[in-house]
Amino acid sequence: MTSRELKAQLRNERLSARDAIPAEKRASKSLAMAEHAGEAVGFALGTIVSGFLPIRSEADLRPLMARFAVRGARLCVPAILDRQTIVFRELAEGAPLVDTGFGTVGPGADAVILDPEIMLVPLSAFDARGHRIGYGAGHYDRAISRLRQKGLHPKLIGIAFDCQEVAHVPAEPHDMSLDAILTESGLRFFASWIG
C-alpha cells in the first residue's frame, strides 16, 4: 500500500469514527476543548488566530474562539477561493456569514484578509508525533507554506477528537507537523511555545 493509499484509508476510518459521535456528545467534547485550551494557549493582545466554523462532524470551536476573543485575539476563518487557495478572513462580531466553499461559511469577500499567527487546524487523523492527515485537498499545507514563504511562522494546533488518533501517520515532504493537538482529553504539546 502506498503512503497516499494508507492516508486515504486512515482518513476514511477516522472520519467515520468522528461521524459516529452523537451530536450532543460532540457538543460536550467541544466545550471540554474550550476549557482545556481557553487559557492554556499563550498569546499577546492582538494576536491573529485562525479558527474555523464547524462542518459535518467537526468540533465546534466557537466557545474556544470566544474565549480567545475575550483575551484580545483577533479572529479569522478560512475562505476557499479556488481548488488551490484558502485565505483567512477576519471574523468580526455581527458580520454576516456567507458560503465560503467546501461546505463552510464565514465572512464575505469584503472582510479583511489576515495572516494568522496561531492556526487551529482541522484534520481527519493525527499521531502522537504531531503529524496530521487533512481532508485530502491540501488547502492548509499550501496556506501554511505561503505564510512561511512570507517569513511568517504560524503556530499550528490540530483540532480533533480522541477517536481520530492513529498509531502512525505516514509523513510526506509537503506535510506540515503540528505544534500541539487539542482534543476533549486536553492539549498536548509537541513544541514549547504554547504554555
Side-chain angles (χ1 to χ4, degrees):
M1 185 178 290
T2 68
S3 178
R4 181 171 294 219
E5 290 168 337
L6 179 56
K7 279 184 168 182
Q9 178 182 326
L10 292 171
R11 177 183 299 115
N12 291 337
E13 288 172 0
R14 295 303 91 211
L15 288 179
S16 292
R18 188 183 77 184
D19 290 345
I21 301 171
E24 63 277 3
K25 290 248 197 248
R26 280 199 309 272
S28 65
K29 291 173 185 287
S30 297
L31 290 172
M33 290 179 181
E35 285 301 310
H36 293 307
E39 304 301 321
V41 175
F43 57 81
L45 192 69
T47 296
I48 299 169
V49 178
S50 71
F52 54 88
L53 302 175
I55 59 171
R56 299 186 298 273
S57 57
E58 289 178 337
D60 186 347
L61 292 184
R62 289 173 291 191
L64 176 58
M65 290 165 53
R67 288 180 72 161
F68 286 173
V70 167
R71 292 178 50 210
R74 198 169 169 194
L75 301 176
C76 55
V77 294
I80 298 173
L81 300 185
D82 56 45
R83 294 178 65 87
Q84 297 292 314
T85 312
I86 59 173
V87 296
F88 297 90
R89 293 179 181 161
E90 185 165 22
L91 186 62
E93 191 170 337
L97 301 179
V98 301
D99 176 14
T100 52
F102 207 63
T104 63
V105 296
D110 57 338
V112 176
I113 294 176
L114 300 174
D115 289 332
E117 298 166 84
I118 298 174
M119 299 175 74
L120 306 177
V121 182
L123 53 88
S124 60
F126 69 94
D127 67 20
R129 300 171 305 147
H131 294 287
R132 67 179 272 275
I133 299 174
Y135 293 150
H139 285 115
Y140 271 85
D141 288 330
R142 284 189 299 277
I144 294 162
S145 180
R146 277 193 303 276
L147 290 167
R148 289 181 177 170
Q149 287 170 9
K150 291 168 82 170
L152 304 172
H153 298 282
K155 308 305 183 205
L156 309 177
I157 304 174
I159 304 296
F161 296 115
D162 289 335
C163 68
Q164 293 173 256
E165 185 168 3
V166 297
H168 178 80
V169 168
E172 297 179 83
H174 66 273
D175 291 332
M176 305 287 176
S177 311
L178 301 168
D179 295 301
I181 186 79
L182 175 62
T183 72
E184 70 271 25
S185 294
L187 182 62
R188 278 192 263 170
F189 306 100
F190 306 115
S192 60
W193 69 270
I194 294 181

